[in-house]
Amino acid sequence: MKKIEIKDFKITTSIDISKQSTVYNLEADEETTEKELRKVRKKLGKLQDTMYAHGKYAVLVCLQGMDTSGKDSLIREVFKDFNARGVEVQSFKVPTELELKHDYLWRHYLKLPARGKFGVHNRTHYENVLVTRVHPNYILGENIPTVTSVEDVNEAFWDKRFEQINNFEKHLADNGTLIFKFFMNLSKDEQKNRLLRRLDKKEKNWKFSAGDLKERRLWDKYQECYEDAINRTSKTHAPWFNIPADDKPTARYIVAKILYDTLKEYTDIQEPELDDKTKANLELYKQELNNE
């Protein structure tokens, strides 16, 4: 099986999204890939237990991608061996009436992981520079004092919003949150195949919405917005990773490996040691229990 190198997926320079691969050959069959994923996710689960005891880092996993890119199933398979108390999954839909009464980052602040935990965000604060950029009229619903018409949602507006997002992530990183941003890079042909499967299989019909086709017609615009967002916000403290997503088992394994191989380099993440008094009296405590 081909060895995963983080540098092959991390975006460190400006990219042309059309040249980012949507496929990756692991040189392994699906059964082998899933077997290796099971090994890695068990290691991740143990590492999270240690991180919980250590209590100084939180991990924020951001998943972005077009409809059908496999975000839901990735979350299910990659985090399956975590203690349920150690991982919190959030899915951000259309903002509620209450959320629209606050700034656009408010609802994301509320769902950030505590130190010692993983927070997985299925769609993220980047929806505010992706969907809203494709549909700038959505910004009017935020009731921003300086925005009274779509004409006010100009390049200067987006420049400011990207600056705010970069500042938001820098603040999180400076205070102990380790940020991973995964772009689930799906090809247009594969999205077509997955949408057709939703229509063909009765048990999958519930996932389909006519709106999926409406957004698909805007594919090129979305790709343009993803490229700009990634290029503006892939930073050392909050990097983007291009995850080839045409094959789901491969994508899941790559994400799990990137997470584990990055986090294991934090050698300071260790279970805390007992204080000297407790350590010196361990045998007494054992004796007391055994003598009950």
Side-chain angles (χ1 to χ4, degrees):
M1 186 171 187
K2 191 173 182 179
K3 184 179 179 182
I4 293 295
E5 298 285 352
I6 293 174
K7 63 180 177 61
D8 294 336
F9 305 94
K10 184 184 288 188
I11 296 171
T12 57
T13 59
S14 184
I15 64 163
D16 176 343
I17 205 167
S18 67
K19 295 179 181 177
Q20 297 295 304
S21 182
T22 64
V23 295
Y24 188 82
N25 185 6
L26 280 174
E27 300 173 2
D29 58 26
E30 185 172 331
E31 183 178 350
T32 301
T33 301
E34 291 179 346
K35 180 181 177 181
E36 291 303 311
L37 171 59
R38 289 194 291 272
K39 291 180 182 178
V40 178
R41 74 187 184 204
K42 285 181 180 178
K43 291 178 182 178
L44 270 173
K46 287 187 67 176
L47 179 58
Q48 190 279 317
D49 284 341
T50 302
M51 290 184 71
Y52 183 82
H54 182 245
K56 292 187 178 180
Y57 293 107
V59 177
L60 176 61
V61 178
C62 299
L63 298 176
Q64 282 288 159
M66 297 293 285
D67 289 335
T68 76
S69 59
K71 299 182 291 297
D72 289 326
S73 60
L74 183 146
I75 293 168
R76 182 188 69 233
E77 297 300 323
V78 170
F79 300 97
K80 186 176 285 186
D81 289 323
F82 274 55
N83 184 315
R85 294 180 298 173
V87 59
E88 298 170 346
V89 178
Q90 311 293 339
S91 183
F92 293 97
K93 308 293 187 182
V94 176
T96 65
E97 182 180 352
L98 174 61
E99 289 167 346
L100 286 171
K101 290 183 181 296
H102 294 267
D103 71 90
Y104 69 96
L105 288 173
W106 178 77
R107 64 176 181 160
H108 303 285
Y109 266 111
L110 293 179
K111 302 299 183 180
L112 290 172
R115 291 189 180 96
K117 292 190 175 185
F118 276 59
V120 184
H121 288 191
N122 181 354
R123 299 190 183 276
T124 69
H125 48 289
Y126 282 95
E127 292 290 284
N128 299 287
V129 288
L130 292 167
V131 175
T132 53
R133 204 165 182 191
V134 175
H135 301 283
N137 57 299
Y138 290 176
I139 295 293
L140 300 180
E142 296 182 17
N143 292 317
I144 302 170
T146 56
V147 178
T148 58
S149 69
V150 173
E151 284 67 37
D152 294 322
V153 188
N154 50 30
E155 282 307 305
F157 175 89
W158 297 117
D159 289 343
K160 188 68 174 176
R161 187 153 282 198
F162 279 116
E163 180 185 4
Q164 292 165 346
I165 286 175
N166 281 324
N167 290 340
F168 168 64
E169 292 177 351
K170 185 66 166 64
H171 172 72
L172 296 182
D174 287 346
N175 286 276
T177 297
L178 308 178
I179 304 171
F180 297 82
K181 299 181 297 193
F182 296 108
F183 169 50
M184 308 302 293
N185 193 359
L186 184 72
S187 68
K188 192 174 184 181
D189 284 344
E190 180 58 22
Q191 188 196 56
K192 176 182 177 180
N193 293 335
R194 293 181 185 181
L195 287 171
L196 285 171
R197 280 199 292 274
R198 286 184 179 181
L199 292 169
D200 289 338
K201 294 187 175 183
K202 187 175 181 181
E203 68 272 19
K204 300 286 187 182
N205 287 172
W206 67 271
K207 288 188 173 184
F208 181 80
S209 165
D212 296 340
L213 299 184
K214 178 184 175 183
E215 295 300 285
R216 179 175 165 79
R217 289 193 287 270
L218 298 168
W219 180 276
D220 290 342
K221 179 63 176 175
Y222 271 106
Q223 296 300 296
E224 177 186 324
C225 291
Y226 266 108
E227 179 177 296
D228 193 38
I230 290 168
N231 286 335
R232 292 198 197 208
T233 62
S234 195
K235 307 295 182 181
T236 302
H237 60 272
W240 277 102
F241 297 88
N242 177 72
I243 306 301
D246 279 5
D247 180 70
K248 289 184 178 182
T250 297
R252 296 164 189 162
Y253 177 69
I254 292 171
V255 167
K257 277 290 285 178
I258 289 172
L259 286 170
Y260 180 70
D261 287 353
T262 301
L263 292 172
K264 73 179 182 180
E265 295 301 314
Y266 285 80
T267 55
D268 60 321
I269 299 176
Q270 302 286 340
E271 291 91 349
E273 289 193 11
L274 293 172
D275 61 85
D276 291 340
K277 182 179 178 181
T278 303
K279 195 184 297 184
N281 287 291
L282 285 179
E283 290 305 318
L284 286 175
Y285 301 143
K286 289 181 189 177
Q287 193 174 60
E288 180 180 337
L289 288 167
N290 286 325
N291 290 337
E292 284 185 352

